[in-house]
Amino acid sequence: MSSRLPIFFIVATVAIDAMGIGLIMPVMPDLLREVDGGNLSEAAIWGGILATTFAVMQFLFGPIIGSLSDQYGRKPILVVSLIIMALVYAMSALATSIWVLFIGRILGGISSATHATAAAYMADVSKPDEKAANFGLIGAGFGIGFVLGPVVGGLLAEFGTRAPFWAAGALALSNAALGWFVLRESV
Protein backbone atom coordinates (compact mmCIF):
# COMPACT_ATOMS: atom_id res chain seq x y z
CA MET A 1 0.00 0.00 0.00
CA SER A 2 2.75 2.48 0.91
CA SER A 3 4.34 2.00 -2.52
CA ARG A 4 1.07 3.22 -4.07
CA LEU A 5 0.93 6.40 -1.95
CA PRO A 6 3.32 8.39 -4.17
CA ILE A 7 1.18 7.51 -7.19
CA PHE A 8 -1.95 8.51 -5.27
CA PHE A 9 -0.24 11.81 -4.41
CA ILE A 10 0.62 12.47 -8.06
CA VAL A 11 -2.92 11.68 -9.25
CA ALA A 12 -4.39 13.83 -6.46
CA THR A 13 -2.05 16.70 -7.38
CA VAL A 14 -3.15 16.60 -11.01
CA ALA A 15 -6.79 16.44 -9.92
CA ILE A 16 -6.37 19.42 -7.58
CA ASP A 17 -4.63 21.38 -10.34
CA ALA A 18 -7.48 20.63 -12.75
CA MET A 19 -10.11 21.47 -10.12
CA GLY A 20 -8.75 24.99 -9.88
CA ILE A 21 -10.07 25.85 -13.32
CA GLY A 22 -13.73 25.16 -12.56
CA LEU A 23 -13.95 25.30 -8.78
CA ILE A 24 -14.93 28.94 -8.60
CA MET A 25 -17.26 28.97 -11.61
CA PRO A 26 -20.45 28.40 -9.58
CA VAL A 27 -19.66 31.24 -7.16
CA MET A 28 -17.96 33.59 -9.60
CA PRO A 29 -20.95 35.81 -10.51
CA ASP A 30 -21.92 36.40 -6.89
CA LEU A 31 -18.32 36.76 -5.75
CA LEU A 32 -17.53 39.32 -8.44
CA ARG A 33 -20.63 41.36 -7.64
CA GLU A 34 -19.66 41.13 -3.97
CA VAL A 35 -16.13 42.50 -4.44
CA ASP A 36 -16.78 44.82 -7.39
CA GLY A 37 -20.35 45.93 -6.83
CA GLY A 38 -21.07 45.65 -10.55
CA ASN A 39 -23.94 44.02 -12.36
CA LEU A 40 -24.22 40.50 -13.75
CA SER A 41 -22.97 41.37 -17.24
CA GLU A 42 -19.81 42.95 -15.81
CA ALA A 43 -19.36 39.89 -13.60
CA ALA A 44 -19.61 37.64 -16.67
CA ILE A 45 -16.86 39.57 -18.43
CA TRP A 46 -14.60 39.48 -15.38
CA GLY A 47 -15.41 35.81 -14.86
CA GLY A 48 -14.20 35.06 -18.37
CA ILE A 49 -11.06 37.11 -17.84
CA LEU A 50 -10.27 35.34 -14.56
CA ALA A 51 -10.90 31.86 -15.95
CA THR A 52 -8.82 32.56 -19.05
CA THR A 53 -6.01 34.06 -16.98
CA PHE A 54 -5.81 30.92 -14.82
CA ALA A 55 -5.66 28.62 -17.85
CA VAL A 56 -3.15 30.79 -19.73
CA MET A 57 -0.84 30.87 -16.70
CA GLN A 58 -1.00 27.09 -16.45
CA PHE A 59 -0.15 26.81 -20.14
CA LEU A 60 2.70 29.31 -20.06
CA PHE A 61 4.31 28.16 -16.82
CA GLY A 62 4.02 24.39 -17.30
CA PRO A 63 7.37 24.16 -19.12
CA ILE A 64 9.03 26.52 -16.63
CA ILE A 65 7.83 24.54 -13.61
CA GLY A 66 8.88 21.34 -15.41
CA SER A 67 12.35 22.75 -16.03
CA LEU A 68 12.64 23.79 -12.38
CA SER A 69 11.74 20.25 -11.35
CA ASP A 70 14.54 18.93 -13.57
CA GLN A 71 16.96 21.29 -11.86
CA TYR A 72 15.81 21.17 -8.21
CA GLY A 73 13.92 17.90 -8.02
CA ARG A 74 10.31 16.84 -8.47
CA LYS A 75 9.39 16.56 -4.79
CA PRO A 76 10.27 20.12 -3.71
CA ILE A 77 8.62 21.65 -6.76
CA LEU A 78 5.40 19.68 -6.32
CA VAL A 79 5.17 20.26 -2.56
CA VAL A 80 6.07 23.97 -2.74
CA SER A 81 3.61 24.48 -5.60
CA LEU A 82 0.82 22.97 -3.51
CA ILE A 83 1.72 25.15 -0.52
CA ILE A 84 1.74 28.27 -2.70
CA MET A 85 -1.57 27.18 -4.21
CA ALA A 86 -3.06 26.86 -0.71
CA LEU A 87 -1.84 30.35 0.18
CA VAL A 88 -3.25 31.76 -3.06
CA TYR A 89 -6.63 30.18 -2.34
CA ALA A 90 -6.58 31.76 1.13
CA MET A 91 -5.69 35.12 -0.43
CA SER A 92 -8.56 34.75 -2.89
CA ALA A 93 -10.96 33.78 -0.10
CA LEU A 94 -10.08 37.01 1.69
CA ALA A 95 -10.15 39.18 -1.46
CA THR A 96 -12.00 42.46 -1.22
CA SER A 97 -11.29 43.71 -4.73
CA ILE A 98 -11.36 42.38 -8.25
CA TRP A 99 -7.62 43.03 -8.58
CA VAL A 100 -6.79 40.75 -5.66
CA LEU A 101 -8.87 38.03 -7.33
CA PHE A 102 -7.05 38.71 -10.61
CA ILE A 103 -3.63 38.42 -8.95
CA GLY A 104 -4.87 35.28 -7.19
CA ARG A 105 -5.88 33.69 -10.49
CA ILE A 106 -2.47 34.56 -12.00
CA LEU A 107 -0.58 33.05 -9.06
CA GLY A 108 -3.01 30.13 -8.85
CA GLY A 109 -2.48 29.29 -12.51
CA ILE A 110 1.29 29.45 -12.11
CA SER A 111 1.34 27.31 -8.98
CA SER A 112 -0.96 24.71 -10.50
CA ALA A 113 1.12 24.35 -13.67
CA THR A 114 2.59 21.07 -12.43
CA HIS A 115 1.08 18.63 -14.92
CA ALA A 116 4.41 18.16 -16.73
CA THR A 117 6.23 17.72 -13.42
CA ALA A 118 3.69 15.14 -12.27
CA ALA A 119 4.07 13.27 -15.55
CA ALA A 120 7.85 13.42 -15.28
CA TYR A 121 7.70 12.02 -11.75
CA MET A 122 5.43 9.23 -12.93
CA ALA A 123 7.87 8.42 -15.74
CA ASP A 124 10.77 8.44 -13.27
CA VAL A 125 9.23 5.95 -10.84
CA SER A 126 7.29 3.66 -13.18
CA LYS A 127 8.61 0.34 -14.37
CA PRO A 128 8.39 -0.05 -18.15
CA ASP A 129 5.38 -2.37 -17.91
CA GLU A 130 3.57 0.07 -15.57
CA LYS A 131 4.09 3.30 -17.51
CA ALA A 132 0.96 3.13 -19.66
CA ALA A 133 -1.29 2.37 -16.69
CA ASN A 134 0.30 5.09 -14.56
CA PHE A 135 -0.01 7.69 -17.31
CA GLY A 136 -3.62 6.61 -17.67
CA LEU A 137 -4.04 7.40 -13.97
CA ILE A 138 -2.68 10.91 -14.57
CA GLY A 139 -5.22 11.40 -17.36
CA ALA A 140 -7.97 10.09 -15.10
CA GLY A 141 -6.87 12.44 -12.32
CA PHE A 142 -7.05 15.40 -14.69
CA GLY A 143 -10.49 14.36 -15.90
CA ILE A 144 -11.79 13.81 -12.39
CA GLY A 145 -10.48 17.19 -11.25
CA PHE A 146 -11.90 18.96 -14.28
CA VAL A 147 -15.35 17.47 -13.61
CA LEU A 148 -15.26 17.71 -9.82
CA GLY A 149 -14.16 21.35 -9.76
CA PRO A 150 -17.54 22.84 -10.68
CA VAL A 151 -19.42 20.15 -8.72
CA VAL A 152 -17.50 20.81 -5.51
CA GLY A 153 -17.68 24.57 -6.09
CA GLY A 154 -21.44 24.35 -6.54
CA LEU A 155 -21.92 22.24 -3.43
CA LEU A 156 -19.72 24.49 -1.33
CA ALA A 157 -21.47 27.61 -2.66
CA GLU A 158 -24.24 26.77 -0.18
CA PHE A 159 -21.81 27.89 2.53
CA GLY A 160 -20.92 31.19 0.85
CA THR A 161 -18.93 32.58 -2.02
CA ARG A 162 -15.62 32.08 -0.21
CA ALA A 163 -16.13 28.45 0.86
CA PRO A 164 -14.77 26.86 -2.36
CA PHE A 165 -11.50 28.77 -1.92
CA TRP A 166 -11.09 27.65 1.69
CA ALA A 167 -11.86 24.04 0.78
CA ALA A 168 -9.47 24.05 -2.18
CA GLY A 169 -6.75 25.58 -0.01
CA ALA A 170 -7.24 22.94 2.66
CA LEU A 171 -7.17 20.21 0.03
CA ALA A 172 -3.95 21.57 -1.53
CA LEU A 173 -2.30 21.92 1.89
CA SER A 174 -3.34 18.39 2.90
CA ASN A 175 -1.94 16.98 -0.31
CA ALA A 176 1.30 18.93 0.21
CA ALA A 177 1.65 17.34 3.65
CA LEU A 178 1.01 13.91 2.16
CA GLY A 179 3.61 14.54 -0.55
CA TRP A 180 6.17 15.69 2.00
CA PHE A 181 5.92 12.37 3.82
CA VAL A 182 5.34 9.82 1.04
CA LEU A 183 7.15 11.20 -2.01
CA ARG A 184 10.72 10.17 -2.57
CA GLU A 185 12.86 12.22 -4.88
CA SER A 186 13.12 10.72 -8.34
CA VAL A 187 15.73 12.95 -10.00
Side-chain angles (χ1 to χ4, degrees), residues 22-31 149-157 161 164:
L23 185 72
I24 65 167
M25 289 301 166
V27 297
M28 187 60 71
D30 292 334
L31 178 63
V151 171
V152 171
L155 292 171
L156 291 172
T161 56

Side-chain angles (χ1 to χ4, degrees), residues 6 35 96 101 140:
V35 298
T96 57
L101 285 174

Side-chain angles (χ1 to χ4, degrees), residues 26-164:
V27 297
M28 187 60 71
D30 292 334
L31 178 63
L32 289 171
R33 287 186 294 180
E34 187 180 303
V35 298
D36 193 37
N39 59 30
L40 189 58
S41 64
E42 291 170 349
I45 291 170
W46 272 108
I49 291 169
L50 294 175
T52 302
T53 299
F54 187 89
V56 167
M57 292 299 106
Q58 275 189 320
F59 175 75
L60 293 176
F61 281 85
I64 295 168
I65 301 291
S67 178
L68 288 172
S69 78
D70 289 341
Q71 190 173 9
Y72 297 106
R74 316 270 191 244
K75 179 179 178 174
I77 295 300
L78 289 168
V79 171
V80 168
S81 292
L82 285 163
I83 292 169
I84 291 171
M85 189 184 314
L87 293 172
V88 168
Y89 278 129
M91 178 184 89
S92 298
L94 297 170
T96 57
S97 78
I98 192 76
W99 298 107
V100 174
L101 285 174
F102 184 69
I103 291 167
R105 294 314 278 175
I106 289 171
L107 296 174
I110 292 169
S111 65
S112 67
T114 58
H115 191 85
T117 303
Y121 184 87
M122 198 66 86
D124 293 345
V125 301
S126 297
K127 297 174 186 164
D129 60 325
E130 297 173 338
K131 282 190 192 239
N134 286 343
F135 279 108
L137 289 173
I138 287 179
F142 181 82
I144 288 168
F146 198 72
V147 170
L148 282 183
V151 171
V152 171
L155 292 171
L156 291 172
E158 295 295 321
F159 300 101
T161 56
R162 312 305 175 115

